[in-house]
Amino acid sequence: MFHKNLKSFSKDFLWGASTSAYQVEGANLIDGKGPSCQDVKKVPEGTSELDVCADQYHRYKEDIALMAEMGFKVYRFSISWSRLIPEGTGAVNPKGIEYYNNLINECLKYNIIPLVTMFHFDMPAVLDKRGGWSKRESIDWFVNFAKVMYENFGDRVKYWLTINEQNVLTLMGDVIGTTMIPKGCTNIRKEIYQQNHHMLVAQAKAMALCHEMIPDAKIGPAPNISVVYPASCKPEDNLAAQNLNAIRNWLYLDMAVYGKYNNLVWSFLEEIDAVPEIQEGDMEILASGKPDFIGFNYYSTATVEAYNLEGNVSSKKDQQSAMDETGVCKSFKNPNLQTTQFGWEIDPEGFRATAREIYSRYRLPLIVTENGLGAYDKLEEDGSIHDPYRIEYLRKHIEQLRLSITDGVEMMGYCPWSAIDLISTHEGMVKRYGFIYVDREEFNLKTLDRYRKDSFYWYKKVISTNGEDLSN
């Protein structure tokens, strides 16, 4: 659809950026914090441990001041469950409460709205050892965690996200170091979808509790949505794309918004013997969640073709991969798209298509909670970092964001990944996303000093003009 006149971003549009606790904070076992599953996992070969990261725990004032200098209206960050409740349940860590109070207050000092993610890939290790999300009790563990957050921060935090990328946790948890499969399990996928069901119930209960405890707050899910294209105009390829769209995307949003399992996904789960056990009352709980908005992470689209029963199943996967699934679909490299230095396809128009599709299906306000370019950045001798590739990536996506708004999508804000360089989930420190450069290498902490990238100054101008000026 071509528009002669573009709508402007709303005057209260929330410009900002995102991070997560285990990737940015560091200080992973001090001041009473217990280990999370991320702290005890075996990190990918050639990548650093998560004990220091960007050291935001000790440098949050400097970081928030830099975000304020850029003009942030919102900062999306997560709260570490094991920093708040070291054993996952039971005693609350006063130092953890103090840290997040300080972080929230520092944001508010600069009129930056805190957008808090409740769970970002970091189950407390002690709960993980007890079975993690495989246990029915995990629902109560999470709701208790939510209650502690609402009690301590709900007077100042009015925007909440529940579970970051639950679809990635379900489909690719082994890649990001979060899959906990009990010993002796003979049907791994049934186990994984049972864990997913527990997360869905926990999310719904947390949303309902938020509305009860903080009536003026808003809450929503934050899946990674990657609209799937058919590889051709063949009808069977279109069916394959519908299949993966349902499995990868709509299962999670149908449940968050409507409290119902997507019919195509349910059929798929029946086919692969992975139907979860649903206890009495679960469906009523799921229907009671009622999100106020939808957060979504977007990096690229996926493309698939019809599955050939004689074909091979690909073993390679990451957060942005299409999926090979017998009888469902087969991944297909889109020849029309360029890729990043790390192999992720770049599809700004797909960003618009994704926003349009989400809004058309659910008619709730949207906020982009991640979108960005991971790259090898270089600190020059004069302290500058030239990242025109990142500026170009973000410019093209913001252009498509404005087009989606002109299409009639109700868009609340834009929080690209990431505010500051941090440890990438499975590719370490060398894969940088931030507007702010952190002076460290994979295994050499160096100074940890902060430097403004060219994209820092560019994004500052974007925010100050409310998205009107996207030029260099």
Side-chain angles (χ1 to χ4, degrees):
M1 186 182 296
F2 176 78
H3 298 290
K4 293 180 180 178
N5 299 300
L6 297 183
K7 293 180 181 177
S8 297
F9 291 95
S10 64
K11 66 180 187 305
D12 56 353
F13 190 79
L14 299 177
W15 297 99
S18 298
T19 64
S20 84
Y22 84 90
Q23 293 171 277
V24 77
E25 285 180 0
N28 66 335
L29 295 176
I30 72 167
D31 287 347
K33 180 183 178 296
S36 76
C37 64
Q38 297 292 344
D39 297 318
V40 300
K41 75 177 184 182
K42 187 180 186 303
V43 299
E45 186 176 353
T47 66
S48 67
E49 299 290 343
L50 298 166
D51 52 341
V52 177
C53 299
D55 198 31
Q56 188 170 88
Y57 185 80
H58 295 111
R59 298 168 182 249
Y60 69 90
K61 288 188 177 182
E62 179 183 1
D63 291 347
I64 300 301
L66 286 166
M67 295 176 204
E69 182 182 333
M70 269 190 283
F72 277 24
K73 311 298 182 187
V74 63
Y75 174 36
R76 180 215 173 194
F77 60 90
S78 73
I79 287 179
S80 165
W81 189 339
S82 60
R83 193 179 297 285
L84 220 58
I85 311 173
E87 298 294 315
T89 61
V92 174
N93 175 24
K95 286 286 189 180
I97 298 292
E98 180 184 2
Y99 171 70
Y100 289 112
N101 271 330
N102 290 340
L103 179 62
I104 290 164
N105 291 340
E106 198 69 17
C107 288
L108 295 175
K109 183 173 88 174
Y110 293 101
N111 295 315
I112 296 173
I113 294 170
L115 172 59
V116 171
T117 308
M118 300 165 68
F119 181 75
H120 196 124
F121 299 165
D122 55 356
M123 171 76 74
V126 65
L127 297 184
D128 215 33
K129 288 180 182 178
R130 288 166 61 181
W133 291 109
S134 68
K135 296 292 187 181
R136 178 79 188 185
E137 303 96 285
S138 62
I139 299 170
D140 293 332
W141 299 340
F142 184 74
V143 173
N144 174 68
F145 173 45
K147 184 172 182 287
V148 171
M149 287 186 284
Y150 298 157
E151 287 174 339
N152 286 278
F153 313 126
D155 60 326
R156 286 152 294 145
V157 176
K158 303 302 179 183
Y159 289 91
W160 298 86
L161 296 161
T162 52
I163 298 174
N164 180 72
E165 295 191 350
Q166 185 176 333
N167 51 342
V168 173
L169 283 167
T170 300
L171 296 170
M172 298 155 197
D174 54 333
V175 174
I176 56 177
T178 58
T179 299
M180 172 62 193
I181 303 298
K183 289 183 179 178
C185 177
T186 58
N187 187 338
I188 291 176
R189 288 209 287 186
K190 186 177 181 68
E191 167 63 29
I192 287 172
Y193 278 96
Q194 187 66 54
Q195 293 181 21
N196 179 64
H197 180 74
H198 293 157
M199 281 188 270
L200 292 168
V201 175
Q203 172 177 258
K205 293 190 79 167
M207 289 195 293
L209 184 64
C210 180
H211 292 137
E212 177 186 328
M213 292 183 65
I214 324 172
D216 58 341
K218 297 183 183 299
I219 190 168
N224 179 314
I225 302 298
S226 179
V227 162
V228 184
Y229 300 140
S232 76
C233 56
K234 294 177 183 176
E236 56 267 36
D237 287 351
N238 188 57
L239 287 172
Q242 286 186 343
N243 292 339
L244 187 55
N245 268 311
I247 293 167
R248 194 196 188 286
N249 301 318
W250 312 139
L251 160 62
Y252 304 91
L253 289 177
D254 281 5
M255 188 57 80
V257 177
Y258 302 130
K260 296 180 179 179
Y261 272 98
N262 179 279
N263 60 292
L264 292 179
V265 176
W266 193 258
S267 177
F268 166 68
L269 296 179
E270 289 178 330
E271 179 68 25
I272 64 171
D273 187 24
V275 170
E277 176 188 344
I278 299 176
Q279 293 195 8
E280 184 177 353
D282 280 0
M283 299 313 296
E284 289 77 10
I285 292 169
L286 290 164
S288 73
K290 308 297 184 189
D292 302 291
F293 64 90
I294 293 171
F296 72 103
N297 301 348
Y298 174 87
Y299 291 93
S300 67
T301 47
T303 306
V304 296
E305 59 185 341
Y307 188 83
N308 181 344
L309 292 177
E310 297 177 357
N312 295 321
V313 174
S314 172
S315 59
K316 181 183 178 183
K317 61 180 180 177
D318 63 23
Q319 297 101 310
Q320 295 310 126
S321 296
M323 190 171 80
D324 286 7
E325 179 66 48
T326 303
V328 174
C329 62
K330 191 173 188 307
S331 59
F332 183 87
K333 181 174 175 55
N334 193 325
N336 303 297
L337 301 178
Q338 294 181 326
T339 59
T340 71
Q341 292 174 331
F342 289 85
W344 287 12
E345 292 176 342
I346 301 172
D347 187 3
E349 288 79 6
F351 188 29
R352 178 186 181 187
T354 298
R356 284 160 47 137
E357 186 65 20
I358 297 172
Y359 190 71
S360 177
R361 291 178 67 95
Y362 305 108
R363 290 303 177 99
L364 285 173
L366 309 182
I367 183 169
V368 180
T369 41
E370 290 182 28
N371 171 238
L373 178 75
Y376 297 103
D377 295 338
K378 181 183 177 183
L379 178 64
E380 304 291 349
E381 290 186 6
D382 65 356
S384 61
I385 302 96
H386 305 303
D387 55 346
Y389 37 83
R390 181 168 294 109
I391 292 171
E392 184 66 8
Y393 177 97
L394 294 171
R395 176 194 294 114
K396 288 182 176 179
H397 282 78
I398 293 172
E399 286 173 348
Q400 294 298 320
L401 189 65
R402 186 172 181 183
L403 283 166
S404 73
I405 291 171
T406 308
D407 291 330
V409 175
E410 187 179 354
M411 192 67 66
M412 294 165 50
Y414 180 64
C415 296
W417 189 264
S418 54
I420 183 170
D421 288 344
L422 38 66
I423 302 290
S424 182
T425 301
H426 55 94
E427 288 166 307
M429 192 68 201
V430 297
K431 188 180 186 182
R432 296 176 182 268
Y433 281 92
F435 295 108
I436 301 164
Y437 185 94
V438 177
D439 183 28
R440 63 157 293 182
E441 296 173 350
E442 202 69 63
F443 300 106
N444 182 354
L445 293 179
K446 302 180 77 174
T447 68
L448 290 169
D449 287 345
R450 276 53 171 153
Y451 293 87
R452 298 162 181 81
K453 301 181 188 180
D454 287 353
S455 58
F456 177 104
Y457 299 106
W458 174 81
Y459 195 46
K460 178 179 180 179
K461 181 180 63 176
V462 170
I463 296 173
S464 68
T465 64
N466 199 29
E468 292 291 332
D469 187 352
L470 302 181
S471 64
N472 277 346

